[in-house]
């Protein structure tokens, strides 16, 4: 395992890596084997908090996701905002201010490079929950779809299915609010595929030609990795897991995710485990890292993943959050 100290890798391409320290991005050339300044995020207060490890973790003052579009436009999700940079700029500026909650959990990019994200906030009163979209590469955003008050708590993910171009939505958290559904017409209609208890509470789907895989994300049940067929929606258990699953990714046929160390009477494992599969059916637990000594208010323990600007890879890059070996660092494992 190769370790990249004191940096979080957020994107992998064939020629370079992009990483972030606080709210400043750096580029690593595979040829030169050096990090150099790439860009910074224009924000007043959060960059200061992000420079100090304890403050960054306590206030969640960090960059969580990063995306590159075909024209070189890049977006990243930070605390209370989505930021955008044009290809030749050196600064990310805010293009969407998050009013409810800290941030969305992902941005979905469809086949036309239209962007979508769902609101993720505590929502104790179960108010309306919105899905926003942009057709101009993140310059402007509008509400595309509304889950009516009392329907769900919040949205865990919005994802594009490369085999059908459907958009899938995952919601939570309580029984009856956990939903896996999709739209075939860009939210003119919405089809609920599964709805019910914690067995449908998930944060990520993994797409294959004949089936879709998901892992549950619940502190209330023993978590599972499950598969459902596209033609019949018949579900099947693949694996029992050590904890809830929030973080994951997919590059072609290769899929990967990590388990989370969190408060749970059911899931008591104190290690975040990294699982990978080359075909979606056979999965291997290839690495684990222990939760560090700080209390959960300084974040749950988890392995996190960058985005990939490549169609195939024989390496898994990841970063550690609140973990003993890789916490605050990034690493690479050959497959």
């Amino acid at each position: 395992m190769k370790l990249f100290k004191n940096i979080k890798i957020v994107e992998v391409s064939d020629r370079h890596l992009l990483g972030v320290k606080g709210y400043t991005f750096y580029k690593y050339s595979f040829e030169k084997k050096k990090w150099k300044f790439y860009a910074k995020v224009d924000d007043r207060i959060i960059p200061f908090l992000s420079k100090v490890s304890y403050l960054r973790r306590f206030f969640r003052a960090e960059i969580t996701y990063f995306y590159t579009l075909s024209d070189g436009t890049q977006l990243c999700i930070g605390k209370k905002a989505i930021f955008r940079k044009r290809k030749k700029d050196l600064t990310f500026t805010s293009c969407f201010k998050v009013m409810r909650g800290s941030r969305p959990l992902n941005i979905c990019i469809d086949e036309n490079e239209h962007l979508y994200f769902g609101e993720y906030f505590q929502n104790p009163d179960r108010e309306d929950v919105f899905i926003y979209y942009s057709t101009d590469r993140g310059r402007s955003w509008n509400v595309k779809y509304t889950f009516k008050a009392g329907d769900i708590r919040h949205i865990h993910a919005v994802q594009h299915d490369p085999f059908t171009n459907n958009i899938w939505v995952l919601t939570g958290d309580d029984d009856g609010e956990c939903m896996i559904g999709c739209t075939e017409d860009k939210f003119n209609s919405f089809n609920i595929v599964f709805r019910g208890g914690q067995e449908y509470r998930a944060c990520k789907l993994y797409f294959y030609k004949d089936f879709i895989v998901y892992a549950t994300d619940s502190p209330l049940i023993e978590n599972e990795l499950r598969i459902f067929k596209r033609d019949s929606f018949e579900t099947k258990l693949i694996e029992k897991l050590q904890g809830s699953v929030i973080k994951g990714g997919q590059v072609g046929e290769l899929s990967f995710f990590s388990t989370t160390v969190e408060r749970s009477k059911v899931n008591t494992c104190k290690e975040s485990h990294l699982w990978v599969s080359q075909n979606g059916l056979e999965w291997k637990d290839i690495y684990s890292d222990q939760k560090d000594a700080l209390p959960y208010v300084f974040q749950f323990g988890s392995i996190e993943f960058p985005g990939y600007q490549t169609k195939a890879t024989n390496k898994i890059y990841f970063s550690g959050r609140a973990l003993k070996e890789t916490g605050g660092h990034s690493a690479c494992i050959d497959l």
Side-chain angles (χ1 to χ4, degrees):
M1 184 176 77
K2 181 176 181 179
L3 197 65
F4 298 84
K5 290 190 174 182
N6 302 313
I7 197 162
K8 177 179 180 177
I9 294 173
V10 294
E11 186 175 88
V12 178
S13 77
D14 294 328
R15 294 184 177 182
H16 65 263
L17 306 172
L18 288 178
V20 64
K21 295 181 180 181
Y23 265 40
T24 302
F25 290 91
Y26 297 87
K27 185 175 183 178
Y28 179 87
S29 166
F30 289 130
E31 181 182 357
K32 297 181 179 180
K33 301 186 184 309
K34 286 184 178 181
W35 292 98
K36 68 175 184 178
F37 172 81
Y38 180 72
K40 64 178 181 179
V41 178
D42 183 18
D43 192 282
R44 289 186 177 182
I45 298 175
I46 305 303
F48 168 76
L49 298 174
S50 72
K51 292 179 180 179
V52 182
S53 175
Y54 293 126
L55 294 177
R56 180 176 67 250
R57 290 174 58 176
F58 183 80
F59 289 103
R60 278 54 173 172
E62 59 184 337
I63 301 297
T64 52
Y65 292 98
F66 189 93
Y67 306 88
T68 297
L69 304 181
S70 61
D71 70 342
T73 297
Q74 294 176 319
L75 298 104
C76 62
I77 300 177
K79 186 177 178 66
K80 301 298 291 184
I82 297 173
F83 299 91
R84 179 178 184 272
K85 182 184 83 67
R86 295 175 300 181
K87 185 174 183 178
K88 295 184 179 181
D89 292 346
L90 298 177
T91 303
F92 285 86
T93 58
S94 175
C95 65
F96 184 90
K97 185 177 182 181
V98 176
M99 302 303 295
R100 300 192 294 182
S102 175
R103 73 196 79 210
L105 295 188
N106 82 312
I107 295 175
C108 169
I109 305 172
D110 75 7
E111 73 278 11
N112 300 311
E113 291 200 312
H114 294 171
L115 312 176
Y116 306 81
F117 73 83
E119 287 190 296
Y120 181 81
F121 62 110
Q122 289 301 311
N123 199 9
D125 298 324
R126 298 308 192 262
E127 302 172 25
D128 289 350
V129 180
F130 303 132
I131 290 177
Y132 288 88
Y133 81 117
S134 172
T135 59
D136 57 9
R137 301 177 183 271
R139 284 189 290 268
S140 62
W141 298 84
N142 296 286
V143 173
K144 184 66 174 178
Y145 187 80
T146 302
F147 287 96
K148 298 300 183 183
D151 202 14
I152 64 170
R153 183 181 185 182
H154 50 215
I155 296 170
H156 289 166
V158 183
Q159 291 184 250
H160 173 249
D161 184 338
F163 294 96
T164 64
N165 288 328
N166 292 347
I167 303 295
W168 288 78
V169 180
L170 310 178
T171 71
D173 275 339
D174 293 342
D175 290 355
E177 299 173 339
C178 300
M179 184 192 309
I180 300 174
C182 70
T183 172
E184 299 175 355
D185 52 17
K186 310 303 183 189
F187 292 102
N188 290 318
S189 62
F190 185 75
N191 308 308
I192 300 173
V193 177
F194 302 108
R195 184 169 192 163
Q198 301 297 295
E199 69 271 23
Y200 301 125
R201 179 174 168 178
C203 289
K204 182 78 175 177
L205 299 177
Y206 306 90
F207 299 106
Y208 292 87
K209 181 181 178 181
D210 298 321
F211 59 89
I212 297 174
V213 182
Y214 75 94
T216 55
D217 159 41
S218 177
L220 305 176
I221 63 170
E222 184 180 2
N223 285 278
E224 299 176 341
L225 183 65
R226 303 193 69 87
I227 181 176
F228 63 88
K229 295 180 180 179
R230 289 182 179 273
D231 55 0
S232 66
F233 297 127
E234 177 187 353
T235 64
K236 180 182 178 181
L237 172 67
I238 301 178
E239 297 278 356
K240 293 283 189 178
L241 302 175
Q242 300 92 343
S244 59
V245 175
I246 300 173
K247 306 294 184 179
Q250 185 172 10
V251 185
E253 295 285 299
L254 174 68
S255 293
F256 41 89
F257 66 81
S258 66
T259 59
T260 305
V261 184
E262 61 181 333
R263 298 184 188 93
S264 173
K265 294 180 180 179
V266 180
N267 304 290
T268 57
C269 180
K270 298 304 180 185
E271 297 176 329
S272 177
H273 287 256
L274 169 55
W275 289 76
V276 300
S277 174
Q278 299 282 4
N279 58 18
L281 297 174
E282 300 166 315
W283 291 77
K284 293 182 180 180
D285 180 356
I286 66 168
Y287 174 77
S288 64
D289 195 355
Q290 266 194 323
K291 171 74 174 71
D292 66 15
L294 291 178
Y296 288 121
V297 69
F298 288 96
Q299 297 181 314
F300 297 160
S302 64
I303 292 168
E304 301 183 305
F305 304 98
Y308 282 80
Q309 290 294 309
T310 180
K311 294 182 179 180
T313 181
N314 59 358
K315 301 176 184 292
I316 291 287
Y317 289 87
F318 61 91
S319 57
R321 172 190 277 182
L323 299 175
K324 284 188 175 180
E325 184 177 22
T326 60
H329 312 302
S330 292
C332 175
I333 294 178
D334 292 326
L335 295 177

